[in-house]
Amino acid sequence: MSTAFRSCFVLSGFILAYFTYLLLGALVFSAIERPVEETLKSNLDSLKAEFLNLSCINATALEAFLEKVLKANKYGVSVLENGTLHTNWDLASSLFFANTMVTTVGYGHTTPLSDGGKAFSIVYALIGVPFTMLVLTACVQRLMHPLTYGPISMCQRRAGLQPRAASVVHFIVLLVLVVLFFFVVPALVFSTIEETWSFLDSFYFCFISLCTIGLGDFVPAEKPGQRLRALYKISVMVYLFVGLMVMFLVLRTFHKLADVHGWTAFFQLPSYEEEHEDKEPIVEREPDDESPEAEKASIKPQNPSSQVSYNSINR
Amino acid sequence: MAAPDLLDPKSATHNTKPRLSFSSKPIVYNSGDDCDTITTVMKWKTVVAIFLLVVLYLIIGATVFKALEQPQESTQKYLIVQEKINFLSRHACVNVSELEDLVKQVVLAIRAGVNPSGHPSNESSMWDLSSSFFFAGTVITTIGFGNVSPHTKGGRIFCIIYALLGIPLFGFLLAGVGDQLGTIFGKGIAKVEKMFVKWNVSQTKIRVTSTVLFILFGCLLFVALPALIFQHIEGWSALESIYFVVITLTTIGFGDFVAGGSEIEYLDYYKPIVWFWILVGLAYFAAVLSMIGDWLRVISKKTKEEVGEFRAHAAEWTANVSAEFKETRRRLSVEIYDKFQRAAYIKRKLSSELGQNPGQDMMPCKRTLSVNFTDELEKEGLPTLTKNGSLYLNGLTPDFPDRGEISIIEHLK
């Protein structure tokens, strides 16, 4: 009973911490962004007033026009002169769109307009998201050997370090390499190719995409008149996929590190650990011949790397 | 089972729900098996195969989207261009460049979240406390709608740091919520299972029924009900509401539809309820998605097994066939050799009767062969023949005795 109580306690502690964190974020964002918004609003007001003064249009006609423009813009259709040339749904762009969907990044710069498209997206996402997670887990599991276990055991053998120290050293090196090659270098590349992006913007874009948040305020290859658009989009796709895999790898390595240091035992919700053994799974594996293996798997110690369930993907 | 992946909101629930332990499935392809090299080879092959499958899936999706969406897009384009032309013709004092400028500014404003249509009221802001709270929530859950996003340098840097810390924190939370959810569901389903056991239904059926129940009940609670509510409050169509629910709960989060994002007057507690629903719904969806993933894995494992079985059968069959073939060849060659032996014997007899010298040099091996085969002339059971035959015909082609015999016969002539 005490463990159940303790788990409830821990859970409510987390919820409270989460709320506080959100509140803090809200306050900071509000404080930073609101003044900028005010400026933009007043600029827009004056622009509209100017426009109306100069010309013979009345306000309602302009409003109606603007509404239509905005509606079109929401669909990614630009009314500007050079905007009619490219389409958002050629093969490369559709591929990019499908990729952002299954990796759950979801920029939103193009969204399905038709009812058929929306219905298809629902089904596509429901199947594609677990599918992608499966692939990424498989790849990461495979990559763990040369990239994590190998170097760590090498460290232990050559340098004679303890497992704990070796894993820490390895993790730091991995982190530095990942930040360098998957954030800094691509950010440089993006800031060169996209003229309106600064280095910070590109770095922000890389981060937001690789965490699969995908706000969509920056999307590469969207400039009208972009050269080699298809190639650019496809290389961005590849970068996102590989980057996602690497993020999972980093998280999984961190998990192993935490395991080695015993942190996971500390942070785990206590009910999880103890009750696991005697809880019967609701859904036994569909084929019954898997059950002996299942027991073997469940007895395995807390080794996150043995966890294959697709959802145990570290990002 | 391993520690929950607390650092990843999507995965967190999965591990901590042993009751709905879709996750405690045994390891599939990357099973730490005995022979490392063999599993290495298999792992790569499996991974590559699955990777190709994903690429194929993406290509299929791309073609379908293109086919569905491009016509709509063209229609929109056409409409808006018409609109522009009409506007310009109706209001002759406006020139094109001015209009373009205005439109550019308006579009930028929209992307900043400011709605220039109507009078941008000073009361409602996209960055008041409740909206910022909502935005922070979308960042941490990695949904990332994007209808509102930071535009200042400071805002962006803060966003990065905020996400770095917040996503693991949310992962912890989701793990806990998932656990509680699993417990509640598990208790309910255990009760149902008890009922079924009384009726003497098989275990598998119980399990399957409970899964189906779980899915249906969860769908009702977390998908259908909210979709109805959104339909009513936001004024979306049924399809759009379901689309929004699915896109949000899988954390894709396009942002074309956002609950609480339009200009409607919302009740005070609307946004917090939406946020709470997202939290619990995410836990549910993680469970559903993991189940689908497990099924896909089971299917792939079954396919692999079947392929393995098929290969094993094929290998066995091939081995059998080649063994039989070899045996037939041996039998044939033995028979042929036997016949030649007889012919030679008859010839010798004839030649000896005709008074010729029978004592030719026969090649020693042939003599031994002939000796053995005269023993076997009675044609004992083929197995013994083949056994002896195999000893002596080892390395000898069927042609060899023929040629040898022919030369002997010629010698004798």
Side-chain angles (χ1 to χ4, degrees):
Chain A
M1 205 48 215
S2 69
T3 45
F5 178 72
R6 202 171 139 208
S7 84
C8 271
F9 187 69
V10 172
L11 180 64
S12 29
F14 271 128
I15 292 184
L16 202 65
Y18 181 62
F19 261 113
T20 324
Y21 193 71
L22 280 185
L23 205 62
L24 180 75
L27 283 169
V28 175
F29 274 122
S30 194
I32 297 181
E33 294 290 323
R34 197 133 182 206
V36 175
E37 189 194 21
E38 300 292 320
T39 328
L40 195 59
K41 267 191 195 164
S42 52
N43 279 347
L44 201 61
D45 270 343
S46 48
L47 185 68
K48 259 170 79 173
E50 249 182 60
F51 194 78
L52 287 173
N53 272 342
L54 290 174
S55 49
C56 48
I57 321 171
N58 57 355
T60 37
L62 184 62
E63 294 290 323
F65 181 68
L66 283 182
E67 263 193 52
K68 296 231 174 68
V69 167
L70 292 179
K71 186 162 162 248
N73 190 63
K74 221 172 62 145
Y75 294 147
V77 175
S78 164
V79 75
L80 300 176
E81 224 158 3
N82 47 8
T84 47
L85 290 171
H86 84 267
T87 163
N88 276 324
W89 294 101
D90 59 344
L91 199 61
S93 310
S94 306
L95 199 61
F96 188 70
F97 173 74
N99 188 47
T100 62
M101 200 184 237
V102 292
T103 51
T104 77
V105 171
Y107 289 123
H109 63 299
T110 34
T111 53
L113 309 171
S114 54
D115 278 350
K118 290 193 177 104
F120 180 70
S121 321
I122 294 176
V123 177
Y124 193 75
L126 279 176
I127 300 177
V129 170
F131 194 23
T132 315
M133 293 303 164
L134 210 60
V135 176
L136 287 173
T137 320
C139 291
V140 167
Q141 280 238 323
R142 187 67 191 85
L143 284 174
M144 281 289 277
H145 287 280
L147 290 180
T148 303
Y149 302 139
I152 289 186
S153 53
M154 213 174 64
C155 268
Q156 285 180 244
R157 267 184 283 125
R158 300 260 184 91
L161 290 168
Q162 292 298 311
R164 285 191 172 196
S167 54
V168 171
V169 165
H170 167 263
F171 181 67
I172 293 178
V173 170
L174 183 70
L175 207 60
V176 167
L177 283 176
V178 163
V179 167
L180 193 67
F181 284 113
F182 282 93
F183 286 95
V184 174
V185 168
L188 283 170
V189 172
F190 279 126
S191 58
T192 329
I193 299 183
E194 302 274 342
E195 288 124 15
T196 49
W197 294 10
S198 71
F199 176 75
L200 176 66
D201 292 341
S202 317
F203 191 85
Y204 170 76
F205 162 74
C206 292
F207 179 80
I208 293 287
S209 310
L210 289 185
C211 284
T212 78
I213 297 176
L215 287 171
D217 43 0
F218 290 104
V219 183
E222 285 301 309
K223 208 179 55 182
Q226 172 81 39
R227 281 174 323 187
L228 298 173
R229 222 163 143 249
L231 183 66
Y232 187 21
K233 280 211 148 134
I234 296 195
S235 28
V236 173
M237 239 177 72
V238 171
Y239 160 67
L240 283 182
F241 200 75
V242 177
L244 205 61
M245 219 188 306
V246 168
M247 297 292 276
F248 281 21
L249 181 75
V250 167
L251 262 175
R252 199 162 257 238
T253 313
F254 179 71
H255 219 156
K256 177 145 183 68
L257 180 79
D259 255 12
V260 167
H261 285 258
W263 298 336
T264 39
F266 178 71
F267 276 115
Q268 263 185 27
L269 304 173
S271 62
Y272 173 76
E273 234 186 308
E274 290 138 13
E275 295 179 39
H276 170 68
E277 245 70 74
D278 47 348
K279 267 191 191 166
E280 241 190 68
I282 285 217
V283 176
E284 196 90 66
R285 359 285 162 203
E286 319 258 299
D288 286 322
D289 51 20
E290 288 185 45
S291 23
E293 294 170 272
E295 266 119 57
K296 260 194 279 168
S298 60
I299 295 171
K300 269 200 189 129
Q302 301 161 15
N303 188 2
S305 43
S306 68
Q307 180 86 149
V308 158
S309 46
Y310 93 97
N311 234 351
S312 69
I313 296 165
N314 297 312
R315 250 180 303 120
Chain B
M1 198 159 59
D5 275 328
L6 307 167
L7 307 172
D8 172 22
K10 290 189 180 80
S11 72
T13 40
H14 184 63
N15 299 335
T16 61
K17 287 200 290 185
R19 200 163 281 273
L20 310 163
S21 53
F22 318 115
S23 59
S24 63
K25 274 222 173 359
I27 296 168
V28 179
Y29 4 85
N30 307 334
S31 49
D33 275 335
D34 340 298
C35 187
D36 226 57
T37 46
I38 294 180
T39 43
T40 312
V41 167
M42 277 178 53
K43 274 187 221 176
W44 268 124
K45 277 190 192 161
T46 327
V47 172
V48 168
I50 295 189
F51 181 74
L52 288 176
L53 211 59
V54 168
V55 172
L56 187 69
Y57 190 71
L58 285 178
I59 293 180
I60 292 176
T63 2
V64 175
F65 276 123
K66 176 177 167 178
L68 288 172
E69 293 296 319
Q70 223 166 9
Q72 261 274 11
E73 190 195 23
S74 320
T75 325
Q76 276 291 332
K77 269 192 193 163
Y78 177 73
L79 282 175
I80 198 65
V81 166
Q82 284 293 100
E83 200 47 51
K84 183 171 161 185
I85 295 175
N86 280 344
F87 189 80
L88 285 173
S89 63
R90 264 195 314 231
H91 307 279
C93 52
V94 179
N95 61 357
V96 183
S97 50
E98 273 173 20
L99 190 62
E100 298 266 321
D101 276 337
L102 179 68
V103 170
K104 261 193 213 152
Q105 284 288 346
V106 165
V107 168
L108 277 174
I110 274 290
R111 286 182 64 203
V114 177
N115 191 353
S117 137
H119 293 285
S121 54
N122 285 332
E123 290 92 43
S124 79
S125 154
M126 298 298 292
W127 290 105
D128 57 2
L129 203 61
S130 70
S131 309
S132 305
F133 193 85
F134 196 71
F135 171 73
T138 62
V139 166
I140 292 188
T141 53
T142 77
I143 296 178
F145 284 124
N147 58 338
V148 177
S149 60
H151 287 268
T152 56
K153 263 193 183 177
R156 288 183 180 142
I157 295 178
F158 178 71
C159 194
I160 292 177
I161 302 172
Y162 191 73
L164 266 177
L165 297 173
I167 293 178
L169 175 65
F170 185 74
F172 277 89
L173 178 67
L174 206 63
V177 170
D179 197 27
Q180 297 298 317
L181 199 68
T183 320
I184 296 173
F185 268 122
K187 285 193 188 140
I189 291 191
K191 283 190 195 151
V192 171
E193 278 190 357
K194 266 193 218 154
M195 266 176 30
F196 274 112
V197 165
K198 280 189 205 154
W199 299 343
N200 285 333
V201 187
S202 80
Q203 272 288 72
T204 339
K205 278 192 195 156
I206 295 180
R207 293 277 139 80
V208 169
T209 339
S210 39
T211 325
V212 168
L213 267 180
F214 167 70
I215 293 181
L216 278 180
F217 190 65
C219 257
L220 198 67
L221 197 60
F222 297 119
V223 176
L225 192 63
L228 277 174
I229 295 179
F230 289 135
Q231 198 180 345
H232 179 72
I233 296 188
E234 303 274 346
W236 298 332
S237 74
L239 179 66
E240 285 167 358
S241 309
I242 298 182
Y243 169 77
F244 167 72
V245 166
V246 170
I247 293 290
T248 306
L249 290 186
T250 50
T251 78
I252 296 177
F254 283 131
D256 46 355
F257 294 99
V258 181
S262 352
E263 297 289 309
I264 313 172
E265 274 296 314
Y266 294 112
L267 302 168
D268 270 341
Y269 52 83
Y270 179 66
K271 278 198 182 153
I273 290 188
V274 169
W275 173 83
F276 185 71
W277 160 73
I278 288 181
L279 176 65
V280 187
L282 274 178
Y284 167 73
F285 248 69
V288 170
L289 291 178
S290 87
M291 210 160 35
I292 298 182
D294 280 346
W295 287 343
L296 286 175
R297 235 194 301 138
V298 166
I299 292 176
S300 88
K301 186 180 189 199
K302 272 197 180 146
T303 324
K304 243 183 42 155
E305 277 174 5
E306 278 166 19
V307 167
E309 269 182 41
F310 178 72
R311 273 211 222 124
H313 277 154
E316 218 184 286
W317 181 81
T318 327
N320 280 342
V321 165
S322 55
E324 272 192 45
F325 187 61
K326 279 191 200 145
E327 205 179 287
T328 323
R329 260 177 39 161
R330 267 186 232 123
R331 255 183 268 146
L332 272 175
S333 63
V334 159
E335 278 182 31
I336 292 171
Y337 187 72
D338 192 41
K339 285 196 178 111
F340 269 106
Q341 275 298 104
R342 283 233 236 119
Y345 178 69
I346 292 169
K347 281 264 155 107
R348 257 182 283 129
K349 277 235 140 136
L350 284 172
S351 63
S352 69
E353 276 164 23
L354 295 172
Q356 283 187 0
N357 205 351
Q360 285 292 334
D361 289 25
M362 283 170 84
M363 295 158 51
C365 58
K366 283 291 171 256
R367 201 184 296 131
T368 37
L369 274 166
S370 63
V371 164
N372 279 323
F373 274 106
T374 37
D375 286 342
E376 313 291 351
L377 260 178
E378 296 82 41
K379 283 244 161 82
E380 286 176 9
L382 272 171
T384 29
L385 245 183
T386 46
K387 234 198 283 179
N388 285 330
S390 66
L391 278 176
Y392 296 105
L393 289 178
N394 230 356
L396 296 172
T397 62
D399 294 334
F400 193 85
D402 303 341
R403 274 181 293 178
E405 284 312 308
I406 293 171
S407 63
I408 288 170
I409 293 166
E410 284 181 324
H411 267 292
L412 294 172
K413 280 195 187 142

